[in-house]
Structures are given as structure tokens and as C-alpha cells.
Amino acid sequence: AATTSQLSKIYHPQNETGTRILDLGCGHGLPGIASLLLGNKSVYLCFQDLNREVIIRNTIPNVCKSTSVQVLNSQCGFISGDWENICKNGIREPVFGVFDLVLTAETIYSPSSYEKLFMLLESCTHAQSIILVAAKRYYFGVGGGTSSFSTYIEGKKIFSTRVVASFSDGESNIRDILELRKT
């Protein structure tokens, strides 16, 4: 939750007309909702989560509580499923497609998911897209984290990565926000 709220504070699309945003692995949808609340009326946001029940029981109610049914119907799309299946099925407009901004938090805890995530990010972004990945620097017990993900992504030679923010309270794991851009 801490990483998600930190990501919510980093990007504010208030002056960008027609911005298409993807909240990837959205859960409760906090980064996406923050983008809707801080953005202008022409922001379109797609919320994606692996589990359909998460979208129905958490994301959609949170969007409605935070905005309105009108915003939900006119500015939001929802999709559930595995990243690999989304890529293979070629799901496109109007819900999915190419995005200007991708927000994702706590999705890189396991290196076994890196390839699926990479494939999806490559297929749903354009040359000027910004991808923000908020996560712990290291996930104990599973081996993922911002350092290993950056190394993996840089090795693919499609995206560049840089840490745009780091958060440390001196008591728990350091959290980073990575920015990825196509090279």
C-alpha cells in the first residue's frame, strides 16, 4: 500500500488533453483514481488486474466512490486477465490499446513474471510513452525487485530505465519508482 500511494503522488496529468493511462495490476485502483482526480476531463483510464473479482469488488466501487458513475462510464475501461493472454489475444480499442502512461505498483516481486510484463509493456506503449513502476528494491524470498527488473529490462534493449524517486524510512525495505521509456 505504501508503494501504491507513493506512485499516486508522482504523476499528475492535469494539463494533458486526451491522455490514455493504464493502471496495470490495479487492485484497488489508487494510482489510476489519483490520475482521474488530478487530470482533466479528457483523460481515459484503463484499469487492469489479473482477477475479474478484484475489478468488480474493489476497483469499480472505488472509482465510483472517488469520482462518479458518469466518469466511470465515459472515462474508464476495465479488463482482467493474465498479461500473456492479453498480449496473445491482441485486445485493442476501445478498452485496451496503446497508452501514453502506464502506472504499476508491486507487480515485479517475482522474476518469473518479468517476461510477460515486458511483452505487455512493449505492445501497449508508443515511442513517447512513460511507464512508472513502483516497487520494493528487493523482495525477500522471491528475488524480484527494482534492481533485478531494471537489469532485465535494460538487457532487452527496448526500454531505458531510471529511478525517479526512492523512499526509505530506515526501518523497512527501500521502495523505488522506476521510469521506463522506449529507446
Side-chain angles (χ1 to χ4, degrees):
T3 307
T4 300
S5 66
Q6 291 155 348
L7 179 61
S8 300
K9 297 172 188 173
I10 293 291
Y11 183 79
H12 308 290
Q14 58 254 50
N15 297 320
E16 299 184 26
T17 303
T19 301
R20 289 182 48 84
I21 302 170
L22 171 61
D23 187 343
L24 189 61
C26 65
H28 289 275
L30 298 180
I33 291 168
S35 295
L36 284 172
L37 294 175
L38 298 169
N40 61 36
K41 292 188 180 358
S42 66
V43 167
Y44 171 79
L45 200 122
C46 179
F47 293 90
Q48 182 280 335
D49 198 89
L50 174 65
N51 299 301
R52 184 173 187 265
E53 288 181 12
V54 169
I55 297 283
I56 292 168
R57 293 184 181 176
N58 297 313
T59 315
I60 291 172
N62 285 342
V63 172
C64 286
K65 288 175 190 172
S66 301
T67 61
S68 67
V69 172
Q70 180 181 1
V71 168
L72 177 81
N73 291 331
S74 64
Q75 292 181 247
C76 299
F78 301 88
I79 188 167
S80 61
D82 182 80
W83 298 331
E84 184 176 25
N85 292 336
I86 292 171
C87 286
K88 283 181 181 176
N89 293 331
I91 297 169
R92 292 287 172 219
E93 304 288 351
V95 175
F96 217 72
V98 177
F99 294 91
D100 305 301
L101 174 67
V102 178
L103 304 170
T104 187
E106 304 294 354
T107 53
I108 60 169
Y109 52 85
S110 175
S112 65
S113 67
Y114 291 177
E115 182 64 19
K116 290 179 187 182
L117 180 56
F118 167 78
M119 288 174 17
L120 183 61
L121 293 174
E122 183 181 26
S123 69
C124 76
T125 55
H126 54 74
Q128 288 76 39
S129 295
I130 299 169
I131 302 164
L132 296 175
V133 180
K136 294 175 182 171
R137 194 165 288 170
Y138 184 77
Y139 289 88
F140 296 97
V142 286
T146 56
S147 295
S148 65
F149 184 69
S150 290
T151 301
Y152 178 85
I153 291 296
E154 293 281 344
K156 293 290 192 174
K157 302 195 184 310
I158 301 292
F159 295 101
S160 63
T161 66
R162 72 181 182 106
V163 176
V164 294
S166 291
F167 305 90
S168 176
D169 61 9
E171 296 178 12
S172 62
N173 202 331
I174 298 169
R175 291 171 167 78
D176 294 321
I177 298 182
L178 300 175
E179 178 187 88
L180 282 65
R181 291 183 182 253
K182 285 190 173 174
T183 53

